[in-house]
Amino acid sequence: MRNIFGQGAAFALALLLAACSGGDAAKGAGDAGKPIVVGFSQVGAESEWRTANTTSVKAALAEPEFRLKFSDAQQKQENQIKALRSFIAQRVDVIAFSPVVETGWESVLREAKAAGIPVVLTDRAVKVSDDSLYATFIGSDFVEEGRRAARWLLEDSKGRAGPVRIVELQGTVGSAPANDRMKGFREIIDADKRFAIVRSQSGDFTRAKGKEVMEAFLKAEEGIDVLFAHNDDMAIGAIQAIEEAGLKPGEDIRIVSIDGVRGAFEAMKAGKLNATIECNPLFGEQLAGLIRDVAAGKPVPRRVQVAEGVFTRDQAEAELPKRKY
Ligand code: GZL
């Protein structure tokens, strides 16, 4: 452009044009007019919990200040790594993801850091050598959820003689919720010699696999007293297997599970599930706030927890109409 003005005037004109045209020079992510581009990699759609979590996240990031690029990994780590690499190539402003398993993230997170893209962990945590590879983690305390399941069982077993023979449906192998719920549950029941876990196998957080593994447990084990399921979907699948074996779920075999989804309240109302430990998926708004702050370069807490409770069979009927997921 021929300089028909003085040098200073040309520079001012360039800034003014950039500000009007929305060029990069005048705006950062999230400034008025320029949306925060968020790459979100979700585990999959394996359970009622996951579906509710996706709905909550998508609703919060549908606001005009965000532009969401959403990827469903179908519970495969390689799909999540591919999605994260694609977000990096597209130079999104923030990456958020729920890691399907705890390990194997070091290199892709280093690539995000090298690209200057902050990462927010949602729902599940990762094990990495360098905590600076992610800005913050919002999710539940899975160890405490395992402890709460065991505390319910001890309370419900007052006055019962041992042995109390427990079978356990684990979540996805290597996932933070499976590892931590297992740990928390054992921390409490190991203190009482009446309790023994006689079988423990993964049902991968799905109803179908939960039913299949419970069928195998029932064939292999006489006298199962309790099922501890790492999520309600596997418990609901196991309930079908227990009934098909001619036993009464909730009576012949007491069942405690985790999530607090609608299906669990319906099963408790029917007397087939004894207790569910809430694991709140509805943190979309909190996540949006963290992403907004991270995009603006503001400090955020390293760990953000979600509030949750414990619900038993006798509360189910009154609670069901209030449930939001
Ligand atoms: C827990 C979440 C787990 C749920 C399952 O925060 O990661 O994954 O408990 C879901 O229902 O599949």
Side-chain angles (χ1 to χ4, degrees):
M1 177 174 83
R2 195 161 58 82
N3 186 350
I4 53 172
F5 307 97
Q7 196 61 30
F11 178 69
L13 179 60
L15 264 189
L16 182 65
L17 288 174
C20 299
S21 66
D24 291 346
K27 292 183 180 136
D31 291 1
K34 183 173 183 293
I36 300 168
V37 183
V38 182
F40 189 97
S41 168
Q42 179 61 293
V43 164
E46 72 282 2
S47 63
E48 279 187 61
W49 188 98
R50 186 66 55 198
T51 309
N53 180 245
T54 293
T55 303
S56 176
V57 168
K58 282 185 171 177
L61 298 181
E63 290 302 317
E65 72 181 290
F66 301 103
R67 183 140 56 79
L68 174 61
K69 294 175 180 288
F70 182 90
S71 156
D72 173 333
Q74 293 166 340
Q75 285 189 284
K76 291 184 175 57
Q77 182 174 29
E78 64 266 25
N79 290 346
Q80 287 200 290
I81 291 172
K82 266 188 221 136
L84 267 55
R85 288 202 162 113
S86 165
F87 295 149
I88 293 167
Q90 296 174 67
R91 302 206 52 69
V92 299
D93 297 306
V94 179
I95 287 173
F97 78 116
S98 171
V100 62
V101 292
E102 285 188 299
T103 56
W105 303 101
E106 199 91 19
S107 56
V108 69
L109 292 180
R110 288 197 183 289
E111 290 163 34
K113 183 175 181 181
I117 300 174
V119 173
V120 173
L121 296 181
T122 88
D123 168 31
R124 297 182 184 179
V126 295
K127 285 196 184 333
V128 286
S129 60
D130 171 3
D131 277 352
S132 76
L133 292 176
Y134 62 89
T136 181
F137 163 43
I138 177 169
S140 303
D141 178 344
F142 301 133
V143 176
E144 180 56 23
E145 290 171 350
R147 294 193 193 104
R148 286 178 180 179
R151 287 190 199 115
W152 171 83
L153 179 58
L154 262 63
E155 183 61 30
D156 195 66
S157 302
K158 272 198 175 132
R160 281 180 191 255
V164 179
R165 297 161 54 79
I166 303 165
V167 292
E168 178 182 36
L169 284 171
Q170 300 171 20
T172 301
V173 175
S175 68
N179 292 340
D180 289 354
R181 286 168 183 171
M182 206 184 297
K183 186 174 152 199
F185 186 77
R186 281 160 178 72
E187 184 188 297
I188 302 296
I189 60 154
D190 284 354
D192 185 324
K193 295 293 161 246
R194 290 177 297 163
F195 297 93
I197 296 175
V198 295
R199 295 271 167 172
S200 179
Q201 190 179 327
S202 176
D204 209 18
F205 284 131
T206 69
R207 290 190 184 200
K209 199 88 171 87
K211 180 180 182 194
E212 185 188 311
V213 174
M214 190 67 205
E215 283 164 352
F217 286 164
L218 288 161
K219 286 195 181 83
E221 285 295 333
E222 286 295 318
I224 296 170
D225 298 301
V226 173
L227 163 64
F228 167 46
H230 289 188
N231 84 330
D232 296 333
D233 283 70
M234 293 190 292
I236 291 164
I239 284 168
Q240 290 168 12
I242 293 167
E243 288 179 318
E244 286 169 11
L247 296 169
K248 285 202 196 86
E251 300 300 332
D252 299 331
I253 297 179
R254 291 177 288 156
I255 305 173
V256 55
S257 62
I258 298 178
D259 278 352
V261 299
R262 177 171 299 281
F265 282 81
E266 285 159 356
M268 288 197 289
K269 188 177 165 189
K272 299 179 180 178
L273 176 70
N274 300 82
T276 183
I277 312 304
E278 191 178 30
C279 175
N280 185 347
L282 308 180
F283 51 69
E285 288 303 327
Q286 284 174 282
L287 174 63
L290 287 170
I291 289 171
R292 188 182 297 117
D293 288 348
V294 163
K298 288 182 187 161
V300 291
R302 285 290 299 169
R303 179 77 173 87
V304 177
Q305 294 228 6
V306 284
E308 43 211 28
V310 176
F311 294 92
T312 54
R313 205 161 48 171
D314 55 306
Q315 296 168 292
E317 186 149 11
E319 283 298 320
L320 195 49
K322 301 178 206 164
R323 299 302 297 168
K324 296 191 179 73
Y325 66 95

